[in-house]
């Protein structure tokens, strides 16, 4: 036991833990003991933590007060460590109402198969961008129809996009959506796409569709900065990431590198180097992180689809704060090739999109089908959204104490969304207990932080720390304080959580939660140049995110309404391994049941299919 430790928790074997609704399990709501600091106070704390002895003392106190010693470091855990959240394909449960794709299909052919699974549009496009309940964002199919009919061209849309990026990057809005955007490259891609449409030979429904790429994912001709001002030159980008390459073969136009929280080490989207990403629903609020630029770009209508990376809710959480769909498939479903290796065992690419239908199309394009053997290759099922209403009875696991640990507005809206699913589809909620949620959050934090510092060590050991943002310097000091015992005990807790979730999925099809515990909070001026430490809001934002990453489970969030301040709220479904098709069915059902009643136009929004 360390000098600053408290009596450690002794865990009983996972098989002896009661998962029933009346288990008596003590739910620990995160009681984060760290004040919000920004500006000069952030600088002071960073300096203190980097002083060898004094920094160790301060970090030890913080880890003690936030229960890391008690629940992780010094805990007695009977299970062996589980180092990766991998899942065998043979254990997958057959899905209902799906179209099974052949392994050898190209990304463009998979996009065609996905489009065939989507119901025809019933809402007239002329109403798409009106104010009030009829508002909706333009979708992939809207752009494809407009290009195919000659209503507009990819070049015309690209020019409107570039003008919009210039406007929202200017001093009046200062939205901070993109780190880099090369107009010449965007127009070159759009010109190629325009010629294909003129020749009657578009590559797919995504031909000419703009896609923003988080600056954690390799995409030529841009450097991959990870939100820093130094990593792009230290690590050269020499090829497209696998997911970017697949989108290119579908004709998609890579729109530039979207802004992100530096090194993914935060939840706000505040970046002192490249500008802080603002929420299009309220520019005085955060977008969330770390894929905030991708979420805000989709929200603002600059693209119907964006790529993000999700190591701790970094796709789903900003998607919820910005009122769009966020999707993280099963670990291994998408290739990590070309993704910055910030956290090997918990991070992967993800999709942010205007609608569930667009999410499906993008997912079909970038699913990894490159495994050499059918035994290694997960079967790719695409949900037939035309048949969602025919889905058999779905059982949604709900842990009431956890579900209700959110703001009053979020709790109310998510509860109403579940009731609408019961009313429209007859799907039922099943009360369960998900044990040791706070323990899982802390174990994930130790894992993510340890892997981040190990991955970046070859750079960090030989660089001037002044190149790094103040808030990230503090995060890196915390990450570097974790020991091998901390990491190993975290993997033992991963093993326990894997067991708990496998048992829950024996009786339920998915776990349902709010996506965040709070809506987008205020973006304060004192944080713009230094970043901030706001672990209380940060813990609330990631409260429901961790299982998807720590356990490699697929998860999706869908907007269900707005709080009293007009800020978006999202509901999340967490599924069994390889159950992406079922999750997309659930998300589509939720979108159809309540999404159309909750459409508000963001305060910052661009219509790329019409002249502004």
């Amino acid at each position: 036991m360390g000098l600053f430790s408290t009596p450690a928790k002794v865990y009983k074997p996972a098989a002896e833990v009661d998962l029933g609704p009346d288990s008596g399990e003590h739910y620990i709501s995160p009681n984060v003991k760290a004040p919000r600091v920004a500006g000069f106070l952030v600088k002071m704390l960073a300096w203190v933590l980097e002083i060898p002895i004094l920094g160790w003392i301060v970090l030890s106190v913080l880890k003690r007060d936030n229960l890391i010693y008690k629940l992780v470091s010094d805990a007695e855990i009977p299970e062996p460590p589980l180092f990766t959240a991998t899942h065998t394909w043979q254990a997958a449960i057959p899905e209902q109402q799906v179209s099974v794709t052949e392994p050898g299909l190209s990304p463009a052919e998979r996009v065609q198969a996905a489009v065939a699974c989507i119901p025809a549009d019933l809402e007239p496009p002329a109403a798409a961008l009106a104010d009030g309940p009829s508002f909706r964002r333009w979708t992939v199919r809207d752009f494809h129809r407009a290009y195919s009919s000659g209503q507009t061209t990819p070049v015309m849309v690209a020019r409107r996009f570039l003008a919009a990026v210039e406007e929202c990057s200017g001093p009046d809005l200062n939205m901070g959506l993109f780190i880099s955007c090369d107009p010449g490259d965007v127009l070159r891609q759009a010109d190629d796409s325009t010629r294909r449409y003129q020749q009657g030979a578009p590559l797919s429904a995504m031909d000419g569709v703009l896609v923003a790429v988080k600056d954690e994912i390799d995409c030529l001709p841009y450097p991959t900065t990870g939100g820093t001002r130094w990593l792009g030159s230290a690590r050269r980008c020499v090829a497209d990431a696998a997911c970017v390459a697949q989108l290119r073969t579908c004709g998609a136009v890579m729109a530039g590198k979207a802004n992100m929280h530096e090194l993914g080490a935060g939840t706000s989207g505040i970046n002192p180097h490249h500008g802080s990403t603002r929420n299009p629903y309220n520019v005085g609020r955060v977008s969330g992180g770390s894929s905030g630029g991708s979420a805000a770009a989709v929200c603002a209508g600059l693209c119907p689809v964006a790529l993000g990376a999700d190591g701790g809710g970094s796709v789903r959480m900003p998607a919820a704060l910005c009122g769009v769909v966020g999707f993280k498939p099963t670990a291994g479903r998408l290739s990590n090739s070309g993704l910055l290796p910030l956290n090997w065992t918990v991070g992967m690419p993800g999709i942010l999109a205007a609608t569930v239908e667009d999410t499906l199309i993008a997912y079909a394009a970038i699913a990894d089908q490159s495994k050499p053997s059918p035994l290694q290759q997960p079967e790719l099922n695409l949900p037939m959204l035309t048949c969602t209403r025919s889905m058999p009875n779905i059982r949604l696991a709900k842990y009431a104490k956890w579900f209700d640990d959110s703001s009053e507005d979020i709790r109310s809206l998510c509860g109403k969304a579940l009731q609408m699913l019961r009313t429209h589809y007859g799907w039922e909620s099943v009360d369960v207990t998900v044990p040791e949620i706070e323990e899982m959050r802390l174990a994930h934090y130790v894992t993510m932080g340890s892997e981040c510092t190990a991955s970046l060590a070859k750079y960090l050991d030989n660089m001037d720390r002044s190149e790094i943002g103040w808030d990230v310097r503090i995060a890196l000091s915390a990450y570097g304080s974790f020991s091998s015992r901390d990491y190993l005990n975290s993997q033992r807790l991963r093993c326990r959580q894997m067991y708990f979730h496998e048992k829950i999925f024996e009786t339920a099809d998915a776990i349902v939660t709010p996506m965040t515990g709070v809506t987008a909070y205020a973006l304060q001026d004192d944080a713009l140049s230094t970043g901030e430490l706001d672990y209380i809001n940060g813990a609330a934002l990631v409260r429901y995110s961790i299982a998807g990453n720590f356990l490699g489970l697929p998860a999706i969030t869908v907007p269900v309404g707005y709080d009293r301040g007009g800020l978006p709220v999202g509901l999340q479904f967490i599924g069994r391994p390889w159950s992406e098709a079922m999750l997309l069915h659930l998300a589509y059902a939720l979108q159809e049941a309540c999404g159309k009643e909750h459409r508000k136009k963001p305060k910052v929004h661009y219509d790329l299919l019409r002249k502004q």
Side-chain angles (χ1 to χ4, degrees):
M1 185 177 295
L3 177 62
F4 293 92
S5 300
T6 56
K9 179 172 180 176
V10 178
Y11 291 84
K12 60 184 177 182
E16 297 178 10
V17 177
D18 186 358
L19 306 183
D22 301 318
S23 68
E25 168 78 12
H26 177 57
Y27 172 73
I28 303 175
S29 179
N31 183 23
V32 178
K33 295 183 178 179
R36 178 193 178 272
V37 292
F40 179 69
L41 291 178
V42 166
K43 296 181 181 180
M44 279 191 60
L45 183 55
W47 288 328
V48 167
L49 295 183
E50 289 169 358
I51 298 173
I53 296 176
L54 182 59
W56 176 82
I57 293 173
V58 173
L59 284 167
S60 296
V61 171
L62 288 172
K63 289 192 287 186
R64 180 200 65 192
D65 291 349
N66 290 282
L67 303 182
I68 290 178
Y69 286 137
K70 178 178 181 177
L71 301 181
V72 181
S73 305
D74 299 328
E76 296 183 25
I77 307 168
E79 283 73 26
L82 176 66
F83 291 104
T84 59
T86 55
H87 302 278
T88 61
W89 165 240
Q90 289 80 1
I93 294 177
E95 296 182 285
Q96 304 295 316
Q97 305 295 353
V98 297
S99 171
V100 181
T101 64
E102 296 296 325
L105 294 183
S106 69
E109 290 170 329
R110 296 199 300 267
V111 165
Q112 182 179 356
V115 171
C117 294
I118 299 173
D121 285 335
L122 299 178
E123 187 173 4
L129 288 164
D131 290 319
S134 60
F135 165 73
R136 71 175 176 91
R137 296 177 177 85
W138 295 122
T139 67
V140 168
R141 290 186 298 166
D142 290 328
F143 282 101
H144 182 59
R145 279 193 293 264
Y147 297 155
S148 298
S149 68
Q151 172 190 337
T152 190
T153 67
V155 166
M156 294 170 65
V157 167
R159 287 175 177 155
R160 292 171 191 158
F161 163 79
L162 292 170
V165 170
E166 183 177 4
E167 179 180 287
C168 69
S169 301
D172 292 338
L173 290 176
N174 194 24
M175 293 294 291
L177 303 184
F178 286 88
I179 288 178
S180 51
C181 175
D182 183 337
D185 181 66
V186 172
L187 288 172
R188 178 192 59 76
Q189 295 176 77
D191 187 57
D192 291 344
S193 177
T194 297
R195 280 197 297 272
R196 290 192 290 269
Y197 276 101
Q198 289 171 344
Q199 295 166 1
L203 297 176
S204 76
M206 290 202 72
D207 205 334
V209 173
L210 291 156
V211 178
V213 180
K214 183 183 183 182
D215 205 8
E216 191 178 331
I217 301 171
D218 287 342
C219 177
L220 293 173
Y222 305 100
T224 301
T225 74
T228 71
R229 60 187 185 190
W230 56 269
L231 187 55
S233 58
R235 173 194 174 274
R236 297 290 182 179
C237 175
V238 297
D240 285 334
C243 53
V244 171
Q246 288 169 299
L247 287 169
R248 285 198 198 274
T249 67
C250 298
V253 174
M254 299 300 109
K257 300 303 285 291
N259 203 354
M260 61 177 287
H261 203 111
E262 185 178 4
L263 294 178
T267 58
S268 65
I270 296 172
N271 188 311
H273 309 303
H274 303 289
S276 299
T277 303
R278 297 176 181 272
N279 194 312
Y281 277 96
N282 184 332
V283 297
R285 300 280 173 153
V286 300
S287 64
S290 59
S291 305
S294 296
V298 173
C299 175
L302 295 178
C303 50
V305 172
L307 294 180
D310 197 315
S314 293
V315 162
R316 293 161 287 144
M317 181 261 288
L321 297 193
C322 292
V324 300
V325 179
F327 183 40
K328 188 211 82 71
T330 307
R333 178 68 86 177
L334 307 181
S335 172
N336 277 21
S337 175
L339 177 71
L340 286 181
L342 297 180
N343 28 66
W344 297 289
T345 71
V346 296
M348 65 176 292
I351 299 165
L352 302 100
T355 64
V356 176
E357 297 95 316
D358 285 351
T359 304
L360 168 58
I361 291 171
Y363 168 63
I366 68 175
D368 183 11
Q369 295 285 279
S370 64
K371 301 292 191 303
S373 164
L375 295 177
Q376 297 175 287
Q377 184 65 67
E379 185 176 83
L380 179 61
N381 297 325
L382 301 180
M384 298 177 64
L385 301 184
T386 51
C387 303
T388 295
R389 286 194 171 274
S390 303
M391 287 285 286
N393 185 42
I394 298 294
R395 293 167 62 86
L396 302 173
K398 175 186 173 185
Y399 180 23
K401 292 178 181 178
W402 188 31
F403 190 98
D404 292 341
D405 191 12
S406 54
S407 72
E408 180 182 347
D409 287 351
I410 292 176
R411 193 162 56 245
S412 173
L413 286 165
C414 290
K416 289 177 181 176
L418 280 182
Q419 182 58 49
M420 295 188 80
L421 288 178
R422 283 192 290 271
T423 301
H424 284 75
Y425 300 95
W427 298 342
E428 61 179 311
S429 296
V430 181
D431 290 329
V432 300
T433 294
V434 184
E436 302 169 14
I437 289 171
E438 177 64 356
E439 292 87 336
M440 177 169 60
R441 183 183 75 85
L442 294 175
H444 169 269
Y445 182 71
V446 170
T447 300
M448 181 180 64
S450 300
E451 293 177 358
C452 181
T453 52
S455 172
L456 298 174
K458 62 182 178 180
Y459 308 118
L460 299 177
D461 291 345
N462 300 297
M463 68 175 294
D464 184 350
R465 287 292 176 112
S466 66
E467 292 289 309
I468 305 171
W470 293 100
D471 61 327
V472 176
R473 286 170 65 173
I474 293 170
L476 291 174
S477 292
Y479 297 167
S481 74
F482 297 133
S483 67
S484 58
R485 182 177 181 182
D486 297 336
Y487 189 81
L488 285 169
N489 273 0
S490 295
Q491 308 324 301
R492 290 186 171 101
L493 290 171
R494 193 198 310 241
C495 184
R496 292 174 65 83
Q497 285 295 330
M498 193 72 80
Y499 174 83
F500 295 149
H501 282 72
E502 287 172 353
K503 298 301 288 185
I504 289 171
F505 287 130
E506 288 178 3
T507 58
D509 299 291
I511 298 170
V512 61
T513 73
M515 188 60 248
T516 60
V518 295
T519 52
Y521 60 87
L523 176 58
Q524 301 186 43
D525 290 342
D526 63 351
L528 298 181
S529 62
T530 63
E532 68 176 5
L533 293 183
D534 189 347
Y535 287 128
I536 294 175
N537 274 319
L541 288 177
V542 303
R543 182 162 299 151
Y544 305 100
S545 302
I546 303 306
N549 302 101
F550 201 44
L551 308 180
L553 301 173
I556 191 167
T557 181
V558 182
V560 294
Y562 304 84
D563 69 7
R564 280 168 283 191
L567 296 167
V569 171
L571 184 77
Q572 175 181 227
F573 299 109
I574 305 168
R576 298 184 184 96
W578 314 115
S579 66
E580 287 85 1
M582 187 197 67
L583 286 186
L584 288 163
H585 270 302
L586 297 180
Y588 181 70
L590 182 62
Q591 175 182 274
E592 295 303 291
C594 66
K596 292 181 179 179
E597 299 179 12
H598 297 289
R599 290 178 177 166
K600 291 184 179 180
K601 189 174 181 179
K603 293 178 180 178
V604 178
H605 191 275
Y606 295 92
D607 180 355
L608 299 187
L609 285 183
R610 297 176 185 160
K611 293 181 180 180
Q612 300 293 303

